[in-house]
Amino acid sequence: MKRRDLLLGGALLPLGHGGAARQTPDGAQPFTPPPQNAQALRQASDLGGDLAAMGLVPGDCFALMDGSRYALLPPEAEDHDLPLPEDALTQKLRVLPSEGQILLASWGVAPLSPARNGPDPRSAPDVSEALSRAVARAMATHAELVLPPGMLRVRRPGALLARSLSGRHDGLRITGAGQQSTVLVYDPEDASEPLLWNNNAVLGLRIARMTLYTDVPGAVFARIYGSGISQDHQFIDMAFRGRWGIGVEMVPDPDTGSAGNNNSEFLFDRVHSAVYLDPFTLLLGRSSDQNLNYWFHNCKLWGWVTIARLHKGGHLHISDCDVSGYAPKAPNYLVELLGDDHARGVCACTIRSLRVELKTAQALVLRSEWPSGNIEIAGLDLSSQTYRMTPGAPVIDLALGEGRGPILSVSDSQFAGQLRVINHHPRGSDQALIAFTRCSFFHGAGPDEVVIYDGSMAPRRIPDMIFRDCRGAGRRDRGLWDCNLGALLGGACRIDSHQALQPADGSAQRLPRGARIEALLDPATLAPTPGLRLWSGARDVTPEPGRPLPVSDGTPLALRPEPGAALTGMCLLRYLA
């Protein structure tokens, strides 16, 4: 078998259709090596034919090096007798990209077309070898690798980047012809191995304008380990379809198991997922706590999807996204902020203008186990599929541990289902804060029907739960909610004045020990409520104007209408803690 070689950037590589070496049939003309330097280039009688035989077409350029200077020659040029200094005649030839781009189609890659409604993706030719060579060349020349429209099938894991890549490489840009045009089909024999493995080698990865498809359940698109290099990655105008398991997975050092110290600045912009048969996690973080600046903007995330699951803190921002057809077949959260140990790293999450269709009882929004930090949710819209939901189903779980606990703020949102606070540790936090502001609730007539407190080992370590200018569902609600539910249920009060809604049906509620009742008001008029008495045990404890009444024993309080009084809805209890 003969080899046809050309020096690319100083490395001798075999070239040919698809990168394969060719065999010279018996009786053929003796093999003539391609031009290797300027002298051989001048003597080439058919440069275009020689380049075509090597799999190169117009779009690639040769560079003749003279010290630090380059003279570029397009392959289709007719005049090869270049005026070069004598010391340049023996300089090695290099192949450089034309106009800053490497076109994979010029390497003899023939994708299936059309990409949609066409033949079986598995009938497309395997382009693993050509793709790997093109990626290596793009990194060496800092050029953009452009994939053609159509279906391109990749069978070998690591074809986009291999785990064995070493050193530091600044910048890799891979672009398709469009999200609906270029379809990269990943068809590996081992689904646990990713298509792209950035083992702390590439800084500034850019992948854009393509659809990633697989029919292999649980396949992984990208696995990344970072220790200062793997940062500043962007995934733009892309789609995940088929049976992907993980989009981007951040892992510890595959050789030593150390967590590393950085995976930062990951942007997902206009990313569309449509994975329905299996659970799909777009961003999975198992690595160190220095996971800073993860952005998800303008994304369409459909099917059985988790946007982000971070094990060790993180700085996460989700904005202007849509989750439609969210119908997982097992309990699933859109966002998971898990509580694995980390060195007091940052814990910050913001979710803004997120619309979600909760189409099954297993479709959940958020779970947090963070020991500290802030979680801000604004403009959350859960109104679309409320008729499918069980009224008593929690959609957000806040699990508290020994830390101070997070501050969860939900504002300007349409909220379906319930918030569940889980505190199973005997020394669980009672410094966490939950605040709802200007929210509408579809499945609760009062704050006590919106929040579930699950504290089997910490029944009285209840965090403050504040409602301001909120409203609920049902006839029981006669005004805006303005109360502190944590204090109402017996939690530690941390502010001076509280307003708690009391049902007018005679049911009892508990105030904290030492509370001083000031007034009983009509929530609509904020005037004293006539015909209503407040009882603690067997005592009438209705406050008189100007004479606050202390409640020192912490026993439940019940409302009792006077004979003939007709009262409905809620009353407002104002008290000092």
Side-chain angles (χ1 to χ4, degrees):
M1 179 177 292
K2 301 289 186 178
R3 290 184 58 198
R4 297 185 176 184
D5 300 340
L6 184 69
L7 282 166
L8 301 181
L12 195 62
L13 299 176
L15 290 176
H17 187 71
R22 297 183 178 183
Q23 186 172 3
T24 303
D26 294 339
Q29 294 296 323
F31 171 71
T32 302
Q36 295 286 315
N37 51 47
Q39 187 68 36
L41 180 68
R42 286 181 170 179
Q43 299 172 356
S45 60
D46 182 11
L47 179 60
D50 288 344
L51 300 181
M54 292 186 290
L56 298 176
V57 298
D60 290 304
C61 287
F62 284 95
L64 306 180
M65 187 174 69
D66 174 21
S68 61
R69 294 179 299 163
Y70 290 84
L72 296 180
L73 176 70
E76 65 272 22
E78 296 181 358
D79 181 9
H80 311 316
D81 191 11
L82 300 179
L84 292 174
E86 288 299 321
D87 57 358
L89 292 178
T90 57
Q91 292 288 336
K92 297 175 182 178
L93 298 181
R94 299 188 180 207
V95 179
L96 300 179
S98 176
E99 299 180 354
Q101 292 183 331
I102 296 174
L103 306 179
L104 188 63
S106 70
W107 290 47
V109 173
L112 284 180
S113 182
R116 300 184 66 185
N117 301 320
D120 181 356
R122 294 193 176 187
S123 65
D126 182 10
V127 300
S128 300
E129 180 64 26
L131 187 59
S132 294
R133 290 177 51 241
V135 169
R137 183 169 163 201
M139 286 191 294
T141 59
H142 300 284
E144 177 185 16
L145 174 58
V146 179
L147 308 185
M151 284 185 179
L152 301 167
R153 179 168 166 249
V154 180
R155 299 223 63 198
R156 179 165 54 79
L160 278 181
L161 272 182
R163 172 180 164 178
S164 58
L165 180 66
S166 61
R168 170 172 172 163
H169 305 266
D170 290 349
L172 172 59
R173 188 181 190 92
I174 304 174
T175 305
Q179 187 181 122
Q180 305 301 328
S181 299
T182 297
V183 180
L184 200 59
V185 179
Y186 189 39
D187 185 24
E189 295 182 359
D190 184 357
S192 67
E193 290 299 314
L195 176 61
L196 184 154
W197 218 134
N198 186 3
N199 191 3
N200 198 44
V202 177
L203 174 70
L205 179 66
R206 303 288 188 270
I207 301 181
R209 305 186 67 214
M210 69 184 70
T211 290
L212 301 168
Y213 174 85
T214 186
D215 197 32
V216 180
V220 180
F221 166 59
R223 183 168 293 146
I224 294 173
Y225 162 64
S227 184
I229 294 178
S230 178
Q231 302 181 55
D232 186 20
H233 297 341
Q234 297 182 7
F235 306 90
I236 300 176
D237 193 16
M238 295 175 58
F240 289 87
R241 296 181 179 274
R243 309 194 68 176
W244 290 101
I246 299 173
V248 177
E249 179 183 24
M250 299 179 296
V251 298
D253 188 327
D255 298 318
T256 67
S258 72
N261 64 9
N262 214 315
N263 275 302
S264 299
E265 287 79 50
F266 281 42
L267 170 66
F268 298 83
D269 187 3
R270 287 162 288 154
V271 172
H272 175 35
S273 73
V275 178
Y276 296 94
L277 298 178
D278 310 283
F280 171 65
T281 302
L282 182 54
L283 176 67
L284 176 58
R286 307 180 191 272
S287 54
S288 77
D289 60 297
Q290 295 192 39
N291 296 321
L292 306 179
N293 303 325
Y294 299 127
W295 301 292
F296 297 82
H297 298 321
N298 312 302
C299 295
K300 297 188 301 182
L301 305 163
W302 298 351
W304 191 345
V305 61
T306 293
I307 301 174
R309 181 185 297 126
L310 301 180
H311 283 251
K312 297 187 175 186
H315 202 245
L316 177 67
H317 309 276
I318 300 171
S319 66
D320 301 297
C321 294
D322 178 86
V323 181
S324 294
Y326 180 35
K329 302 174 182 63
N332 187 87
Y333 297 92
L334 288 177
V335 178
E336 290 188 73
L337 311 174
L338 303 181
D340 290 5
D341 290 339
H342 59 289
R344 292 187 293 179
V346 65
C347 291
C349 174
T350 62
I351 301 174
R352 295 175 180 168
S353 301
L354 173 66
R355 175 187 173 273
V356 184
E357 292 181 356
L358 304 174
K359 301 194 73 172
T360 66
Q362 292 82 22
L364 309 173
V365 176
L366 180 143
R367 177 180 176 86
S368 170
E369 300 173 359
W370 277 358
S372 61
N374 289 70
I375 304 169
E376 178 190 357
I377 301 175
L380 175 66
D381 183 1
L382 304 180
S383 63
S384 173
Q385 305 290 313
T386 56
Y387 67 93
R388 298 178 183 268
M389 299 182 61
T390 302
V395 296
I396 292 181
D397 279 336
L398 190 66
L400 305 178
E402 288 192 72
R404 299 178 62 188
I407 294 177
L408 170 64
S409 173
V410 184
S411 64
D412 302 294
S413 297
Q414 299 187 71
F415 199 92
Q418 293 179 318
L419 164 71
R420 177 168 55 189
V421 181
I422 304 169
N423 202 348
H424 291 173
H425 198 285
R427 294 169 55 189
S429 169
D430 60 1
Q431 288 190 319
L433 173 64
I434 300 165
F436 287 94
T437 307
R438 298 181 303 277
C439 292
S440 294
F441 295 90
F442 293 97
H443 295 117
D448 56 322
E449 295 184 4
V450 169
V451 176
I452 304 170
Y453 182 70
D454 181 356
S456 60
M457 297 182 67
R460 297 189 60 82
R461 300 182 72 85
I462 304 174
D464 262 353
M465 307 175 198
I466 299 173
F467 293 80
R468 294 292 181 264
D469 300 323
C470 295
R471 62 188 182 185
R475 296 181 179 177
R476 175 179 156 187
D477 176 32
R478 296 190 58 181
L480 296 179
W481 304 349
D482 188 7
C483 65
N484 184 299
L485 189 60
L488 185 64
L489 295 178
C493 298
R494 304 196 178 281
I495 57 177
D496 292 333
S497 180
H498 296 272
Q499 293 178 348
L501 291 172
Q502 290 284 102
D505 58 5
S507 61
Q509 302 281 353
R510 186 183 300 275
L511 264 72
R513 293 178 182 276
R516 294 176 59 85
I517 303 171
E518 288 188 309
L520 205 59
L521 306 177
D522 184 320
T525 64
L526 297 182
T529 304
L532 193 65
R533 312 299 296 178
L534 189 64
W535 291 76
S536 175
R539 296 185 301 131
D540 183 342
V541 295
T542 304
E544 298 180 12
R547 296 181 60 185
L549 179 71
V551 180
S552 59
D553 57 3
T555 56
L557 299 175
L559 300 176
R560 296 184 182 178
E562 293 179 343
L567 297 169
T568 59
M570 305 283 287
C571 285
L572 189 64
L573 181 66
R574 178 173 293 163
Y575 62 93
L576 294 176

